[in-house]
Amino acid sequence: MTRSDMPIGDAVVTAVMGWAVVFLGIALLVVVVVLVGKLMTAKKHAPAPIPVPASGVAETAPAPKPAAPAAPGVAGDVKLYDTSDRDAAMIMAIVADELKLPLNELRFISIKEVHKK
Amino acid sequence: MVNILETLKKLWLESGFMGFFASGGWKSLIMIAVACVLLYLGIKKKFEPLLLVGIAFGTLLTNLPGAGLYHMGMWDAYVHECPYDAVYDYALYNTEQDRIFTQEEYYYYVAARACGHTTDEIEEHLETAAKTGGDLTLDFQALVLSPDFDESIVLEIDESLVGELSFTDIAHLGGLLDILYIGVKAGIYPCLIFIGVGAMTDFGPLIANPKSFFLGAAAQFGVFFAFFGAILLGFGGNEAASIGIIGGADGPTAILTCMLLAPALLGPIAIAAYSYMALIPMIQPPLMRALTTEKERAVKMEQLREVSKTEKIVFPIVVAGFVILLLPSTAPLIGCLMFGNLLRETGVTERLSDVAQNALMNIVTLFLGISVGATTVAARFLTLNTLKIVLLGLIAFCFSTIGGLLVGKLMYKLSGGKINPLIGAAGVSAVPMAARVAQVEGQKANPSNFLLMHAMGPNVAGVIGSAIAAGFLIKVFGA
């Protein structure tokens, strides 16, 4: 076996340091990405200024309508009607495959089983 | 009148077939067989066919005697800045001993050639002299006084020698594949491919779950493990770094790193990297099953939050700026990756994004494959080192997967069982193959499991992680 020009001790230090540098770089990047994300989200959800009526008394806003009861079997944003999670996952994968588009470029609103009469 | 027999004989003697009977010709035959195996794997088994078919055909062309499409000696002369013998395609650099000839060795070389010695005989003599401490000046004098000495050959050799080669010299003297290879040597093709990769990558899952970044870092474990293994097997530091980066499972990164640190190993490293990437569906599942429990693999992860368009636009700008400032040697890779991604996300550069994803990517892949294949010259490829590289490449892939899985398990514990550790294996960049493997294994444990989007986070984080690892190694071992 030939001998490397690099001593084993140096190789160990370089390998450990290399992995540590990757982790450190990534950790710092996570901090930056999280901060930027928080900044963006904060901007997006900043409360709109409440208009003050001339009388100085805030008008009572009409009570929001109660949300419609969630459909049975909700998988994240996709509303499922009479469809199991497993079938929904398969349908989404098949649609993506048929359209030749990556799944992350598609947005499914709901999946409903149509019963033939 | 034309002597037909003489003409036919001349044609035969000058044909490439005669090259197979010359010294070392059998090695070319072996390499042609290797090219056929690679073509079979690419075409029939669909192992990364877009690149492997090109690499295999490059291997075939470069090993056809007399084709003159690629000149290894010329690139040795370019790398080591030493004279190049155009007539005999011989750089005055001893590749076996990894050293440039001394003046005495050079004089001996010229005199021995003038006495009709073959280059193999000369190298053997130089090797013996180096081991036994023989006096080459005395040998040189003996050769000059010998009746076989032909002064005209000395003049011929001197005339044929070209000093330190530049890209211009290579474009002037070289063959077609030499000219295409300039794109690899100048680091252009890997970076252009990264523009295409960036344009095809959706960083949404990573932005939605930045913790995935850590899995991309963890999966670089194989890079440094294989680096250490390569040192143990006797490779130099720069060679070990190039071999280790195979574990990043990222072809362009491996090619760029290797080209900068150990260009002589480019052929075997590129072939190992792309072959193992294609074998990910076979390499990863046994490790995934061995290192995780059924319960862990069955974990269903929460739906990712929606990422706004502005976040997606800001992401490449922030990452490029931050990572390049942190590690400037990552600039070519991260810069191009993020530029491509910005083209995709802006929404106003759709034409450019489309070109980067399709036309540019295809053209560069074509050139990259065939020119990398051209470096697999028999004399350089058929060595024990190639076998060591193939073995270390496999080790690198396995340990990258293990690193990702172990940190995935740690995150599973820390999150109270909310993170499926399988997505850690997707941290080896090989996009999107590794993420698909995580999806398949997750569904085997729990048919209603849908891990693909969650695995895409670590998967694209792996691309950034491997670029940082490459940047570190280039910084440490680069000139």
Side-chain angles (χ1 to χ4, degrees):
Chain A
M1 187 187 287
T2 52
R3 273 189 60 199
S4 171
D5 59 359
M6 192 173 195
I8 304 285
D10 287 1
V12 173
V13 172
T14 309
V16 172
M17 196 167 66
W19 205 31
V21 165
V22 175
F23 260 103
L24 182 71
I26 289 285
L28 292 172
L29 194 56
V30 169
V31 172
V32 173
V33 170
V34 168
L35 284 178
V36 172
K38 287 228 187 296
L39 199 73
M40 296 280 169
T41 323
K43 258 188 178 176
K44 200 173 155 187
H45 296 297
I50 302 164
V52 181
S55 62
V57 180
E59 284 178 17
T60 344
K65 284 183 184 174
V74 173
D77 289 344
V78 189
K79 299 238 177 328
L80 305 179
Y81 301 94
D82 298 333
T83 311
S84 69
D85 284 359
R86 184 170 178 267
D87 290 346
M90 280 168 58
I91 289 165
M92 288 191 279
I94 291 165
V95 170
D97 189 51
E98 287 292 318
L99 291 175
K100 303 265 184 283
L101 280 173
L103 201 55
N104 54 11
E105 285 184 10
L106 296 173
R107 184 167 166 78
F108 293 86
I109 308 295
S110 66
I111 299 173
K112 182 178 181 181
E113 186 179 345
V114 180
H115 297 280
K116 281 189 183 168
K117 286 182 184 172
Chain B
M1 189 177 162
V2 180
N3 186 336
I4 295 173
L5 275 178
E6 199 58 37
T7 308
L8 288 175
K9 188 182 168 192
K10 195 179 170 209
L11 274 174
W12 170 249
L13 289 175
E14 288 178 3
S15 74
F17 289 108
M18 278 306 290
F20 292 126
F21 302 105
S23 166
W26 59 275
K27 288 183 178 176
S28 299
L29 277 174
I30 291 179
M31 285 310 295
I32 289 168
V34 169
C36 293
V37 171
L38 292 176
L39 280 170
Y40 171 78
L41 293 176
I43 297 167
K44 188 77 180 170
K45 298 283 176 185
K46 295 190 170 48
F47 282 12
E48 292 282 330
L50 293 180
L51 259 155
L52 205 55
V53 169
I55 290 177
F57 207 74
T59 303
L60 177 72
L61 291 177
T62 204
N63 286 293
L64 292 174
L69 291 170
Y70 177 83
H71 300 82
M72 184 177 71
M74 196 179 284
W75 287 104
D76 284 341
Y78 172 78
V79 172
H80 301 287
E81 297 176 347
C82 60
Y84 164 69
D85 186 340
V87 170
Y88 292 93
D89 186 26
Y90 191 86
L92 299 181
Y93 166 78
N94 191 321
T95 49
E96 293 299 316
Q97 294 172 15
D98 196 23
R99 63 182 172 82
I100 296 169
F101 278 178
T102 60
Q103 199 176 29
E104 287 80 5
E105 285 167 340
Y106 172 54
Y107 282 138
Y108 173 81
Y109 161 80
V110 174
R113 287 274 301 279
C115 290
H117 295 197
T118 65
T119 50
D120 284 351
E121 287 168 345
I122 298 170
E123 284 206 13
E124 198 178 319
H125 184 87
L126 291 176
E127 208 171 301
T128 315
K131 278 180 191 164
T132 58
D135 190 344
L136 286 174
T137 313
L138 286 177
D139 296 339
F140 163 73
Q141 285 166 356
L143 286 168
V144 171
L145 294 172
S146 132
D148 296 335
F149 185 73
D150 184 348
E151 201 171 344
S152 65
I153 293 180
V154 176
L155 294 172
E156 201 179 287
I157 291 171
D158 274 346
E159 274 175 18
S160 70
L161 285 177
V162 182
E164 296 170 19
L165 292 187
S166 65
F167 282 156
T168 316
D169 296 322
I170 290 170
H172 178 64
L173 296 165
L176 175 67
L177 296 181
D178 287 309
I179 296 167
L180 293 182
Y181 186 66
I182 292 174
V184 179
K185 204 77 199 164
I188 295 169
Y189 298 155
C191 294
L192 290 180
I193 286 203
F194 252 46
I195 293 180
V197 171
M200 289 198 284
T201 305
D202 176 14
F203 284 104
L206 187 61
I207 303 169
N209 182 15
K211 287 193 286 274
S212 310
F213 264 114
F214 289 110
L215 296 169
Q220 305 312 311
F221 178 54
V223 172
F224 298 101
F225 191 87
F227 161 79
F228 182 65
I231 293 287
L232 287 182
L233 287 181
F235 286 98
N238 53 348
E239 293 171 329
S242 305
I243 294 166
I245 205 70
I246 298 174
D250 197 322
T253 306
I255 289 172
L256 187 75
T257 309
C258 183
M259 189 275 299
L260 290 172
L261 301 180
L265 302 181
L266 184 59
I269 284 179
I271 287 176
Y274 282 108
S275 305
Y276 288 134
M277 257 185 267
L279 288 172
I280 274 203
M282 280 178 249
I283 295 171
Q284 286 198 321
L287 295 169
M288 287 166 143
R289 276 174 242 139
L291 292 174
T292 55
T293 62
E294 182 86 15
K295 189 184 162 201
E296 287 169 341
R297 291 197 295 275
V299 170
K300 280 177 83 171
M301 291 178 67
E302 286 171 11
Q303 184 85 1
L304 294 171
R305 78 171 171 89
E306 202 175 319
V307 177
S308 71
K309 186 175 158 61
T310 319
E311 277 180 277
K312 287 187 175 181
I313 293 175
V314 170
F315 181 80
I317 301 168
V318 168
V319 172
F322 181 77
V323 176
I324 294 171
L325 284 175
L326 189 72
L327 215 56
S329 48
T330 60
L333 293 173
I334 291 288
C336 290
L337 181 73
M338 292 302 150
F339 173 55
N341 189 247
L342 186 64
L343 292 179
R344 171 199 171 94
E345 301 298 351
T346 55
V348 293
T349 51
E350 277 170 22
R351 277 166 52 195
L352 298 182
S353 171
D354 177 52
V355 168
Q357 289 183 43
N358 300 295
L360 178 70
M361 191 79 166
N362 291 341
I363 290 170
V364 179
T365 302
L366 200 147
F367 290 159
L368 182 71
I370 201 163
S371 46
V372 165
T375 64
T376 56
V377 179
R380 191 60 55 79
F381 193 86
L382 292 177
T383 62
L384 185 61
N385 278 352
T386 301
L387 288 178
K388 288 181 189 172
I389 289 168
V390 170
L391 175 72
L392 286 165
L394 180 61
I395 290 171
F397 264 67
C398 290
F399 278 87
S400 284
T401 305
I402 290 169
L405 283 169
L406 292 181
V407 174
K409 276 173 84 84
L410 181 69
M411 288 173 80
Y412 166 83
K413 298 266 183 221
L414 294 177
S415 66
K418 285 183 182 164
I419 291 177
N420 190 318
L422 288 180
I423 66 167
V428 300
S429 33
V431 183
M433 190 98 73
R436 280 193 202 141
V437 173
Q439 156 76 8
V440 170
E441 288 304 310
Q443 260 186 347
K444 277 183 192 165
N446 178 355
S448 66
N449 216 346
F450 200 66
L451 288 176
L452 187 63
M453 286 311 291
H454 301 284
M456 281 308 288
N459 209 190
V460 294
V463 179
I464 298 174
S466 59
I468 295 179
F472 170 81
L473 293 170
I474 291 168
K475 187 81 190 157
V476 173
F477 295 103

